[in-house]
Amino acid sequence: MAVTKSSPPEQVRSFWPRYRNRSLFLIICMQIIATLVVSCALLLFHLGQPDNPYFWVTILAFAAASLGVNVLLFSQLADPLKELSNALTHSAGEPSDTAPPSPNAKRFEQNGLKPLLQRIYELGTRDESPADNKLAKKAELVLSGLDSSTTGFVILDNQRKILYANAAAPVITTPSGERALELIFDDSYNLTTWLDQSDDSVRSNYQWTRIPNKIPGEEGRKLYDISASYEKGSIAETVVTFFDRTKEYQPEDEDLDFIAFAAHELRGPVTVIRGYLDVISDELAGQLDDEQKELVSRLIVSANRLSSYINNILNASRYDRRHLKIHLQEDTLAGVYATIADDMQLRAGSQGRILSVDIPKDLPSVAADRASLSEVFGNLIDNAIKYSNEGGVVRVTARQDGDFVEVSVEDHGIGMPGNVVSNLFHKFYRSHRSRETVAGTGIGLYISKAIIESHGGGMRVRSVEGQGSTFSFTVPTYASVADKLTQTHNSNENLISQGSGWIKNHSMFRG
Ligand code: ADP
């Protein structure tokens, strides 16, 4: 492809020599013409003889004298023009052999050129072109618009330092004077993890919902939906936008406070009801006919479910306050499951599902809080029953995976589309479909994940809409965490890898 080069702009310094030469040329031409005309006129009127040498000497002397006078006159009259063009040459930054004319020189004061020279130098020192000016005005407009926006806006550089944050962004100044984002992620996949992964890609986007900046009860607590985008090499490499959704989410949190209080009060009577139902089923079994036995077993299923809802709600509010500290003991998953096995079979049977459980007894022991872990088993099996069809099989299996033991709960029920899966572990999340068809609270998975993470494990899900789902969780083998537990008298403190915190450059600091 041919490359055309535009001619360079004409230089200011070339103006004066050109103008001077042209003017002198014109003066000389005029002088020659005038001399010829005068000579012809004198000869015509016989005021001179062509063969007289004095005549020609006089004519030439006259011509030379008037040429000198004209050149002198020109240099006087054109001198300001020469000085102005000299000043413009310097002001434009062009190379020049002459010194720039000083406006303070006396002669410029006398001939009135001083203000003109001053103005030329003034214009030359202004570094903003009209285009720059326009851009600066636009930038000012955008920045003031962003500052009055209720949407938070933050730009991070490739070192993850805050380059820009508007007024609505949740930014704090750390004790060392740096600016940092103030966010508490309850999800293991936080901004830092996403940025770590994004480093390997060219472009990336991610969204989080319901992310608070402070723990419940703290002043100035806000809840954000966050959207982040990353573009490698861009001057604004990471852009994070914060939509303040406090108004929508806060009432739910307050509801949870109230529900937690109510649940706490309900727990006592429900425990008593379950106890009496156990007595009826154990001691009066011989005196009941089949129909009565069926009724009692249904009552037991419902009372147990009510009891696990209550536990979920209490745990959810405890988790929100970062109080999910538990004590872990050496235990086997088969042992944990055994405590709820009958209840689970009863629930499955009453709903017409087949529950098949295969947890090998010889799996390595794990570090577990029995009550909490059995709640996770209960939640996952309960969901597998709820979201599958009559006659469906729910399969529970367990296997060792390095330093972890993994449990999977598989069903062949309704399954979920991708957009549901990505929101599953959020508090109160329920898919549209289940909201319309199945009773529930939307906090079972949220709290299950919190329990598993407080054991130092993780949760994942595979699901195909219309074909079924498999929820899996891992917990560390006791041998792999025994040392850490001994240091903290069996508390899970050293095992919790996620939790509250704020992001400062590369690191996630726990609050
Ligand atoms: P709940 O079951 O009380 O609604 P959960 O937190 O246990 O609350 O579950 C959240 C949502 O996840 C459910 O509403 C449902 O949409 C979906 N879900 C959970 N488990 C399954 C499953 N096994 N199959 C299909 N969808 C499920």
Side-chain angles (χ1 to χ4, degrees), residues 295-310:
L295 283 175
V296 170
S297 81
R298 279 174 189 232
L299 278 174
I300 290 174
V301 168
S302 293
N304 287 351
R305 182 169 289 160
L306 186 58
S307 171
S308 64
Y309 280 163
I310 289 172

Side-chain angles (χ1 to χ4, degrees), residues 188-230:
S188 54
Y189 198 71
N190 55 45
L191 195 52
T192 306
T193 357
W194 171 72
L195 281 168
D196 286 343
Q197 276 181 12
S198 301
D199 269 350
D200 302 331
S201 43
V202 178
R203 241 175 244 112
S204 167
N205 294 295
Y206 202 76
Q207 271 134 29
W208 292 263
T209 50
R210 276 180 175 278
I211 304 297
N213 59 339
K214 296 181 191 294
I215 60 167
E218 242 186 290
E219 209 179 311
R221 185 172 195 256
K222 287 192 172 162
L223 293 150
Y224 297 100
D225 282 354
I226 300 176
S227 163
S229 63
Y230 168 88

Side-chain angles (χ1 to χ4, degrees), residues 309 312 379-388 409-417 420-421 423-435 438-448 461 463 468-471:
Y309 280 163
N312 274 346
N379 283 336
L380 296 188
I381 296 172
D382 212 25
N383 280 347
I385 293 170
K386 278 199 301 193
Y387 301 109
S388 60
V409 179
E410 182 191 1
D411 66 64
H412 302 281
I414 62 172
M416 290 163 278
V420 170
V421 173
N423 284 303
L424 269 189
F425 297 101
H426 292 135
K427 192 166 55 179
F428 297 120
Y429 179 79
R430 308 202 65 219
S431 73
H432 281 292
R433 191 168 165 188
S434 50
R435 237 180 278 165
V438 187
T441 57
I443 52 174
L445 289 178
Y446 169 76
I447 193 60
S448 297
V461 56
S463 189
S469 315
T470 303
F471 284 81

